Amino acid sequence: MNSGESPAPSSDYVQSLGRGLAVIRAFDAEHPRRTLSDVARATELTRATARRFLLTLVELGYVRTDGSLFWLTPRVLELGYSYLSSLSLPEVSGPHLEALAERVRESSSVSILDGDDVVYVARVPVSRIMTVGINIGTRFPAFATSMGRVLLAGLPADELAAYLDRIQLTALTGKTLTSAAALGRELERVRAEGFCLVDQELEEGLRSIAAPIHDSNGVVVAAANVSTQAARHSADEVRTELLPALLDATRAIETDLLRVSTGPNDKRGNNHA
């Protein structure tokens, strides 16, 4: 086989399905409306074959036509939604963490609250930033981490009060907050500002900034962060250089989570059918 040729289809390949999907892919942002001849050329199908597929898609509601031009309908979003609805938080957030890490050239993570700990559920490491390795499933005490404080700040008032009553605050470094009252004030600030910077409280030399991830009801369900060595970024630089990129990422994750929760039948998408 020549390097420029496509691999031969397997014996299980359904040619008609492949051709139907090719017809759908013939439409894009640059070609939202196409004639039959346009579609035939783009898919390398005969006009008669392209016509049959287009009219079948019209019958199924994925394509509309005025007799000369064809265009996709919002129903094609159902195809993408079938994929999105099968994704978990780590899978939804993964691509956004990768983009964030590439943008700031620092490690990024997503975690959830489990009891009094944060648990890492997604991570894109750029460099080794701690003496202990961080992997999916790694746990840290919530009170001493930026993501943990974001998640604690998102708790209902009664749950947060119970946490502050029972938690034993252990000094992990010389900068760790060890007063429940001081931690409570810090969490109030985090809730008001919408982000949290933890400066060398979990480990000396480590700075981390986190922001919440909300579900479709506005509830904080996870947190994302960017971590860096204190020698690379001052606290002010973390706020001015890393925080904007982090907030862009959390908003993008929330948008994808909203798509998953609302689905293709959200009324906001039906006005253009």
Side-chain angles (χ1 to χ4, degrees), residues 69-121:
L69 291 173
F70 296 85
W71 61 92
L72 298 179
T73 74
R75 177 167 286 189
V76 298
L77 295 175
E78 294 177 357
L79 304 176
Y81 175 68
S82 297
Y83 167 71
L84 279 176
S85 63
S86 69
L87 298 180
S88 64
L89 173 64
E91 292 166 321
V92 169
S93 60
H96 301 295
L97 288 186
E98 291 176 4
L100 173 61
E102 182 176 357
R103 178 176 171 183
V104 300
R105 301 189 182 282
E106 297 288 356
S107 300
S108 62
S109 307
V110 165
S111 72
I112 59 172
L113 190 64
D114 182 30
D116 295 343
D117 296 334
V118 293
V119 179
Y120 283 68
V121 298

Side-chain angles (χ1 to χ4, degrees), residues 42 120 129 151 164 179 188-189 216 240 271:
Y120 283 68
I129 59 172
L151 292 164
L164 291 173
S179 161
E188 289 179 6
R189 186 197 61 75
S216 58
T240 58
N271 296 329

